Amino acid sequence: MKDINILSVETSCDETSIAIIKNGCEVVALTILTQMDTHANFGGVVPEIASRMHTENITMVLEETLKKSKMSVADVDAIAVTYAPGLVGSLLVGIEFAKTLALVYNKPLIAVNHTIGHIYANNIEHEISYPTLALIVSGGHTDLVILKSEKEIEVLGSTIDDSIGEVYDKVARVLNMPYPGGPNIERLAKSGKVTYDMPRPMDNDSYNFSYSGLKSYIINLVHNEKQRNHEIRFNDLAASFQVAAIDQLVRKVELAFQNLDIKKFILAGGVSANSYLREEMQKLCDKYHVLFHVPNKLYCTDNAAMIGCAAYPLYKAQKFADFTLNAESTSNLDNY
Ligand code: KG4
Ligand code: ZN
């Protein structure tokens, strides 16, 4: 069968990324230009700056990817682009760029959901086989789902308030660490001990998650200790937070293992780059004899390779978008 090469574009937040993916799993070339250092000056992503920087950099990111791949746009079979969820201004830069390439080179256009992209990052090392349980943990999502097939997702539970990634970023800010908070908290936690008691919400039979209580607890604790001039052991606090935050994920996945016939489990999304989370999930899967896969850390955070992987089943099904494609800030996993 002929190889299918998809050129994919991702600009939903603060990474400008373009990849060429062969047959939905092989990374021919990938470029990721992060704006992280710029946004760190503001403590988080500034949407207006993000879209402006995408516009400035996207052509260069394409040239870099083509150079690495030794291909031209004319050689690829389709152009894929993230259309939702994300920052509308940022998404529009990628969408208009992808539409232009599709029009000029007469290629089909494929609209990809970013969250589905995170799931498909798993295909790069181990092809996803269905059905499988999946936990998506990112700056925008905390979802436990069953992937029934390439086309069908059943959502078991989601966060009822903040996402886990959002809370990592907020807690980092309170502990005077720059954006993005996740990797910084993980680093700080390594030298700390679990000495602070933390709330353990959602200790029930629901598959939903809740993180706002943990966030408020830490903000109040730091505030109160500062007012009393008490010493705050930032590394112990980071370790205590991380264990409590991840324990909630582990408990919900374990609940699914106990209640449902689960044989395979995958992790996805930026927070799945966290080593402690990866280790705890591996231990849980060993205990229940469940096959566990998580993407290489490079493919956990935002990148265009995952978008090219997710575009492949849509290419096979000939599900192409037209030039009215627009950006959407939110999306529903049940109905992507
Ligand atoms: O998937 P992603 O790159 O963007 C979204 O789609 O949201 O996820 C970004 C989130 C941020 O909240 C970031 O702090 C978190 O993933 N993150 C981590 C780690 N690396 C990134 N959280 C915990 N530990 C990490 N090592
Ligand atoms: Zn993401």
Side-chain angles (χ1 to χ4, degrees):
M1 221 174 70
K2 178 188 172 300
D3 285 332
I4 300 301
N5 288 294
I6 296 179
L7 187 147
S8 50
V9 180
E10 156 63 41
T11 60
S12 67
C13 191
D14 58 341
E15 267 85 31
T16 317
S17 182
I18 297 187
I20 295 180
I21 300 296
K22 190 198 280 186
N23 300 332
C25 61
E26 193 182 318
V27 183
V28 177
L30 168 64
T31 309
I32 306 171
L33 188 87
T34 180
Q35 309 171 357
M36 215 180 267
D37 290 347
T38 304
H39 297 291
N41 296 319
F42 304 95
V45 178
V46 183
E48 175 62 28
I49 295 176
S51 37
R52 215 179 284 190
M53 288 183 78
H54 287 307
T55 311
E56 284 164 13
N57 295 324
I58 198 159
T59 310
M60 186 177 75
V61 172
L62 173 67
E63 279 169 7
E64 181 74 23
T65 307
L66 293 174
K67 202 161 97 190
K68 288 178 194 161
S69 69
K70 301 190 177 64
M71 292 170 81
S72 80
V73 180
D75 299 329
V76 305
D77 298 278
I79 311 290
V81 63
T82 307
Y83 75 98
L87 303 170
V88 168
S90 290
L91 287 164
L92 280 172
V93 177
I95 292 172
E96 294 310 318
F97 189 76
K99 278 185 195 171
T100 308
L101 291 179
L103 189 66
V104 171
Y105 290 91
N106 194 24
K107 305 286 176 190
L109 181 69
I110 304 175
V112 176
N113 177 299
H114 178 84
T115 314
I116 303 298
H118 274 301
I119 294 172
Y120 272 85
N122 275 280
N123 262 349
I124 297 170
E125 267 124 10
H126 305 276
E127 195 179 341
I128 301 171
S129 60
Y130 302 90
T132 183
L133 182 72
L135 177 68
I136 304 132
V137 276
S138 69
H141 282 268
T142 312
D143 296 309
L144 187 63
V145 306
I146 303 225
L147 307 180
K148 295 187 161 175
S149 70
E150 269 183 358
K151 297 184 194 75
E152 207 186 343
I153 295 183
E154 179 191 344
V155 179
L156 294 179
S158 295
T159 182
I160 57 169
D161 40 56
D162 296 343
S163 75
I164 183 168
E166 221 176 317
V167 173
Y168 259 99
D169 293 339
K170 286 268 163 57
V171 169
R173 217 201 274 203
V174 178
L175 301 187
N176 299 330
M177 282 181 302
Y179 170 85
N184 289 316
I185 296 242
E186 178 175 11
R187 219 168 295 127
L188 190 63
K190 282 203 177 110
S191 64
K193 291 197 181 69
V194 180
T195 54
Y196 288 92
D197 271 343
M198 293 282 145
R200 305 276 170 143
M202 306 304 275
D203 191 9
N204 54 27
D205 280 348
S206 144
Y207 291 116
N208 288 332
F209 304 86
S210 168
Y211 279 101
S212 70
L214 187 56
K215 177 185 74 180
S216 310
Y217 182 83
I218 293 181
I219 293 172
N220 290 336
L221 188 146
V222 171
H223 182 71
N224 290 338
E225 294 295 78
K226 273 187 183 160
Q227 278 201 330
R228 293 190 189 114
N229 268 331
H230 286 173
E231 184 209 1
I232 307 166
R233 299 177 313 278
F234 278 14
N235 54 348
D236 290 348
L237 195 51
S240 307
F241 158 72
Q242 177 159 275
V243 166
I246 287 178
D247 170 65
Q248 192 182 145
L249 300 178
V250 173
R251 274 191 279 123
K252 298 301 172 184
V253 172
E254 182 162 22
L255 192 64
F257 287 176
Q258 287 166 345
N259 292 344
L260 307 166
D261 182 25
I262 306 289
K263 305 229 164 25
K264 286 163 283 174
F265 171 57
I266 59 176
L267 266 181
V271 181
S272 64
N274 185 285
S275 299
Y276 177 69
L277 169 62
R278 296 160 84 102
E279 287 158 16
E280 290 303 299
M281 288 303 183
Q282 184 64 64
K283 280 189 221 160
L284 183 71
C285 289
D286 290 345
K287 180 174 164 197
Y288 285 88
H289 306 290
V290 170
L291 184 68
F292 175 54
H293 288 310
V294 55
N296 179 306
K297 288 186 184 184
L298 171 66
Y299 304 119
C300 288
T301 44
D302 290 351
N303 67 86
M306 66 189 202
I307 303 304
C309 295
Y312 185 59
L314 299 172
Y315 178 89
K316 283 190 296 182
Q318 303 276 293
K319 276 195 172 177
F320 299 130
D322 62 31
F323 291 116
T324 62
L325 179 66
N326 209 344
E328 287 169 32
S329 60
T330 56
S331 73
N332 186 348
L333 271 185
D334 280 317
N335 171 26
Y336 72 92

